[in-house]
């Protein structure tokens, strides 16, 4: 089942009633001359089990502890935004799988050799997806990228990921030959930042559901990063965010500050089509297959992570 991604950009009261997320808009409730029947109709309810990601993007949002607890009990990723209205916080459940203790041990006991092999697979899948997307957007040859993907060694000791990134970002955006990818860079960096934040939340959520520790990466090991594994596993999925950004750019100029319509387009990332296991699937479902396969790799049941390609 595809879970819903909910975005709240205006003041709202969020509470829980009968296993439903109750959404009230204070701006409507405060209008004294509005009939009560219209006020009642403005109250929405959504089953908690239908929700996958919630984005809170307004300082005047009030959410009850009961609602937060129920969301987390149902493995919902809760994303909070800063004063610039960009995602900065991620709240996840502490427990999301019935065999979590065993899976934690498998993950923590993974050998260095296995971790390097898993990172090799991850980098290879990422470069291949970048190469495919670049081939659809630019006349530049991507033969070098496929060669780099093929030649990635265990642990990516030759750092082909960085080499491919330089070539990719230099050529992926038509009309922007001087584009530099960076958190504080010019547009469309703002679109990429927002899209990657939604992707990161989606991947982190699936890791928890699969009984894994998002903090323990296979490659990233920043002691200040609570989502190292999510940052690892999302790498081959990044080009799907890039494709969404390219589609948005083809329709309009991108402002320095993202508006609600742009955010709404980026919130569709969990439902974009990818191909995994020779079948077309929404990205959120595919991420679940990826994290489930990673848990099996840690358990010694299989040796390869299931990653997506473009359909």
């Amino acid at each position: 089942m595809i879970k819903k991604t909910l975005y709240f950009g205006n003041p709202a009261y969020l509470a829980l009633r009968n296993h439903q997320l109750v959404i009230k808009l204070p701006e409507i409730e405060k209008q004294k001359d509005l009939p009560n029947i219209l006020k009642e109709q403005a109250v929405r309810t959504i089953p908690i089990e239908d929700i996958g990601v919630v984005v809170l993007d307004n300082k005047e949002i009030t959410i009850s502890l009961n609602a937060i607890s129920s969301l987390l009990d149902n493995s919902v990723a809760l994303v909070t935004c800063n004063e610039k209205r960009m995602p900065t916080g991620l709240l996840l459940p502490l427990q999301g799988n019935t065999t979590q203790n065993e899976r934690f041990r498998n993950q923590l006991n993974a050998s260095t050799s296995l971790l390097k092999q898993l990172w090799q697979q991850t980098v290879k899948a990422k470069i291949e997806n970048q190469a495919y997307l670049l081939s659809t957007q630019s006349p530049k040859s991507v033969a070098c990228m496929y060669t780099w993907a093929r030649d990635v060694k265990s642990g990516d000791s030759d750092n082909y990921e960085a080499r491919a990134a330089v070539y990719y970002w230099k050529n992926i955006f038509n009309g922007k030959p001087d584009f530099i990818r960076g958190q504080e860079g010019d547009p469309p960096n703002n679109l990429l930042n927002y899209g990657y934040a939604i992707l990161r939340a989606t991947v982190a959520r699936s890791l928890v559901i699969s009984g894994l520790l998002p903090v323990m990466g296979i490659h990233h090991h920043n002691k200040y990063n609570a989502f190292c594994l999510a940052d690892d596993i999302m790498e081959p999925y990044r080009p799907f965010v890039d494709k969404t950004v390219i589609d948005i750019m083809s329709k309009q100029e991108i402002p320095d500050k993202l508006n609600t319509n742009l955010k709404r387009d980026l919130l569709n990332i969990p439902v974009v089509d990818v191909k995994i296991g020779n079948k077309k699937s929404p990205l959120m479902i595919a991420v679940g297959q990826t994290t489930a396969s990673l848990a099996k790799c840690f358990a010694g049941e299989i040796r390869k992570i299931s990653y997506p390609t473009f359909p």
Side-chain angles (χ1 to χ4, degrees):
M1 176 182 175
I2 303 176
K3 301 289 186 175
K4 295 179 180 179
T5 298
L6 303 183
Y7 171 81
F8 297 96
N10 295 314
Y13 298 140
L14 307 180
L16 184 72
R17 185 176 65 221
N18 298 327
H19 303 292
Q20 305 264 324
L21 181 66
V22 181
I23 305 164
K24 296 182 180 180
L25 304 179
E27 294 175 348
I28 293 179
E29 289 190 332
K30 291 177 182 177
Q31 296 183 27
K32 297 180 179 180
D33 57 342
L34 200 64
N36 288 334
I37 188 171
L38 292 181
K39 291 183 179 181
E40 292 174 0
Q41 290 175 351
V43 177
R44 291 186 58 196
T45 60
I46 300 175
I48 292 289
E49 62 268 21
D50 292 347
I51 305 172
V53 179
V54 173
V55 181
L56 305 179
D57 189 12
N58 192 289
K59 291 183 177 180
E60 296 183 37
I61 293 173
T62 301
I63 180 169
S64 72
L65 181 58
N66 203 15
I68 293 175
S69 297
S70 185
L71 289 168
L72 295 179
D73 284 344
N74 284 271
S75 300
V76 176
L78 197 61
V79 180
T80 58
C81 299
N82 61 12
E83 67 279 358
K84 296 181 180 179
R85 311 200 76 170
M86 294 295 288
T88 56
L90 176 58
L91 188 61
L92 290 169
L94 288 174
Q95 183 171 329
N97 188 280
T98 56
T99 59
Q100 191 160 353
N101 187 280
E102 179 183 6
R103 295 193 177 193
F104 279 180
R105 288 199 305 270
N106 291 337
Q107 181 181 359
L108 294 172
N109 292 332
S111 67
T112 300
S113 175
L114 174 60
L115 296 179
K116 287 184 175 182
Q117 290 172 18
L118 296 178
W119 183 240
Q120 176 188 24
Q121 296 172 27
T122 301
V123 172
K124 182 176 184 294
K126 177 183 180 180
I127 296 176
E128 287 177 343
N129 283 339
Q130 287 178 322
Y132 175 84
L133 180 58
L134 182 57
S135 72
T136 68
Q137 303 297 321
S138 170
K140 291 284 186 178
S141 172
V142 295
C144 59
M145 296 190 71
Y146 282 115
T147 298
W148 295 333
R150 183 195 64 209
D151 292 344
V152 174
K153 297 177 182 177
S154 177
D156 189 23
S157 55
D158 295 316
N159 204 12
Y160 280 119
E161 181 194 20
R163 191 180 308 185
V166 171
Y167 189 81
Y168 175 78
W169 289 119
K170 183 179 180 180
N171 299 294
I172 191 61
F173 296 122
N174 287 324
K176 289 185 175 291
D178 299 323
F179 176 78
I180 298 176
R181 170 68 189 128
Q183 285 288 326
E184 304 298 330
D186 296 332
N189 275 297
N190 51 358
L191 287 176
L192 293 169
N193 294 342
Y194 201 96
Y196 292 153
I198 298 302
L199 174 62
R200 191 187 199 210
T202 303
V203 173
R205 170 184 176 273
S206 287
L207 287 170
V208 171
I209 292 174
S210 295
L212 299 174
L213 282 166
V215 70
M216 298 298 298
I218 58 177
H219 176 73
H220 290 91
H221 294 97
N222 187 333
K223 66 179 181 179
Y224 302 108
N225 183 359
F227 303 101
C228 288
L229 187 57
D231 290 341
D232 288 333
I233 300 305
M234 68 184 276
E235 293 293 352
Y237 284 90
R238 286 180 183 267
F240 297 99
V241 175
D242 304 342
K243 175 63 165 58
T244 300
V245 170
I246 290 170
D247 290 343
I248 293 173
M249 292 173 62
S250 68
K251 302 173 185 176
Q252 59 186 294
E253 290 292 326
I254 306 303
D256 291 333
K257 186 176 180 180
L258 300 185
N259 56 42
T260 301
N261 290 334
L262 289 171
K263 292 178 180 180
R264 185 180 297 115
D265 290 339
L266 293 168
L267 290 170
N268 286 324
I269 286 170
V271 297
V272 301
D273 284 334
V274 305
K275 184 179 179 182
I276 190 166
N278 294 319
K279 294 181 180 180
K280 185 181 291 187
S281 170
L283 182 143
M284 179 178 283
I285 302 299
V287 168
Q289 295 179 44
T290 296
T291 58
S293 69
L294 176 61
K296 291 182 179 180
C297 288
F298 286 139
E301 298 174 17
I302 59 176
R303 300 290 295 180
K304 188 174 182 179
I305 307 176
S306 180
Y307 277 129
T309 59
F310 280 90

